Amino acid sequence: MNHVSGRDEVPAGNVALVTGASRGVGRGIALGLLAAGFEVYGTGRSIDQADLPREIRRLRCDHLKDEETAHVYEVLRSEQGRLDLLVNCAWGGYEKMVEGGAFTWPAPFWEQPMHRWTGMIDAGVRAAFVCSAHAARLMTPQNGGLIVNISFWAAQRHLGNTIYGIAKAATDKMTSDMAVELKPFDVPVISLYPGLVRTEAVLAAAESGAFDLSTSESPEFIGRVISALFHDPNLMARTGQVLVAAAVAKEFGVLDTDGSSPPALTLGDIRDGL
């Protein structure tokens, strides 16, 4: 299977793994890929209780534990013998944003609780690295596949807190360097930036007026964009790049679940405190 040639002829049934698929963006990506014809495997600590259709293969996994991640790939090898798409979405950075009545998310780095480092760097960046290493062992022999790392504008300016910026900048650098090493095997690696996504947490915050949802994206929208990228016959030309999901959607004519075309945010549109 070659990643570039014949993409338009690839039938439905490509195997996708979405980490952090229990809720939020990860859940939406899993749903979007399922609707696009992928055989979807989803991981998460609470995946057994997630609101997902039975067609999605659930694999309970705490990606802080390497042995549990390894088991996920053992199942993939046993049941499929291949992996065509990995979406690294596992992330513990938004947990415990309020502690003891205090909103600690925007605190200066010297006042940040160290669990936030664990949630963003270990459960985020490190988990993506380990999952990508396992995926590469499946993708390089087949000379094809795609790895997508979900990232954000915090890689490029201060947003919220220092640890957040470190995590996203590390994700983008990881994407760039992995792309160099995987290029001879026709396996592209992409960093993908969502916009304001209507996750459970964002919808709850919007009720109090914290967010204007008029230009927001559904979680499934990101899955639709990833599917369009996967089927792009010229995707290798983008490997190592940072892409904005809504900009990719406009290029390929991808619409959101409500038929809308979300605007592609730029760095200037992003405000502090997110």
Side-chain angles (χ1 to χ4, degrees), residues 85-192:
L85 170 63
L86 167 65
V87 184
N88 284 309
C89 203
W91 171 258
Y94 297 140
E95 297 174 354
K96 296 189 285 187
M97 297 176 77
V98 178
E99 299 175 90
F103 184 49
T104 61
W105 172 264
F109 72 88
W110 60 92
E111 295 178 4
Q112 283 287 328
M114 288 312 299
H115 69 74
R116 191 152 290 137
W117 179 276
T118 301
M120 294 185 180
I121 305 299
D122 296 338
V125 181
R126 187 182 186 280
F129 179 89
V130 174
C131 284
S132 297
H134 281 288
R137 295 176 194 128
L138 286 170
M139 292 177 177
T140 53
Q142 67 193 27
N143 287 312
L146 168 62
I147 296 174
V148 176
N149 296 317
I150 301 300
S151 190
F152 197 58
W153 294 103
Q156 302 183 36
R157 62 169 290 186
H158 183 276
L159 292 175
N161 62 71
T162 296
I163 304 174
Y164 190 33
I166 293 170
K168 297 308 182 185
T171 297
D172 288 357
K173 177 59 174 171
M174 180 172 64
T175 291
S176 175
D177 285 3
M178 284 181 175
V180 172
E181 296 177 4
L182 284 171
K183 189 172 183 179
F185 303 94
D186 274 346
V187 178
V189 190
I190 300 296
S191 273
L192 190 64

Side-chain angles (χ1 to χ4, degrees), residues 12-235:
N14 292 290
V15 180
L17 171 62
V18 182
T19 70
S22 299
R23 60 184 183 274
V25 174
R27 175 180 174 274
I29 291 171
L31 292 173
L33 293 176
L34 180 68
F38 286 80
E39 294 184 39
V40 180
Y41 287 66
T43 69
R45 288 173 297 179
S46 58
I47 197 77
D48 292 339
Q49 291 77 46
D51 181 17
L52 291 168
R54 60 179 177 80
E55 291 85 358
I56 292 178
R57 177 75 159 91
R58 306 172 189 223
L59 296 173
R60 189 193 177 284
C61 181
D62 180 350
H63 286 287
L64 287 170
K65 300 177 180 178
D66 289 349
E67 65 275 14
E68 294 191 11
T69 299
H71 175 69
V72 168
Y73 283 87
E74 289 170 7
V75 172
L76 276 168
R77 287 180 186 277
S78 173
E79 296 184 356
Q80 301 291 345
R82 74 182 202 276
L83 179 63
D84 302 301
L85 170 63
L86 167 65
V87 184
N88 284 309
C89 203
W91 171 258
Y94 297 140
E95 297 174 354
K96 296 189 285 187
M97 297 176 77
V98 178
E99 299 175 90
F103 184 49
T104 61
W105 172 264
F109 72 88
W110 60 92
E111 295 178 4
Q112 283 287 328
M114 288 312 299
H115 69 74
R116 191 152 290 137
W117 179 276
T118 301
M120 294 185 180
I121 305 299
D122 296 338
V125 181
R126 187 182 186 280
F129 179 89
V130 174
C131 284
S132 297
H134 281 288
R137 295 176 194 128
L138 286 170
M139 292 177 177
T140 53
Q142 67 193 27
N143 287 312
L146 168 62
I147 296 174
V148 176
N149 296 317
I150 301 300
S151 190
F152 197 58
W153 294 103
Q156 302 183 36
R157 62 169 290 186
H158 183 276
L159 292 175
N161 62 71
T162 296
I163 304 174
Y164 190 33
I166 293 170
K168 297 308 182 185
T171 297
D172 288 357
K173 177 59 174 171
M174 180 172 64
T175 291
S176 175
D177 285 3
M178 284 181 175
V180 172
E181 296 177 4
L182 284 171
K183 189 172 183 179
F185 303 94
D186 274 346
V187 178
V189 190
I190 300 296
S191 273
L192 190 64
Y193 288 10
L196 177 61
V197 182
R198 295 189 296 275
T199 63
E200 299 89 338
V202 167
L203 290 173
E207 292 181 0
S208 63
F211 294 112
D212 175 6
L213 300 181
S214 61
T215 60
S216 62
E217 304 165 358
S218 74
E220 294 87 348
F221 176 67
I222 311 302
R224 293 183 173 197
V225 170
I226 292 172
S227 177
L229 279 171
F230 180 86
H231 292 96
D232 176 13
N234 299 312
L235 181 55

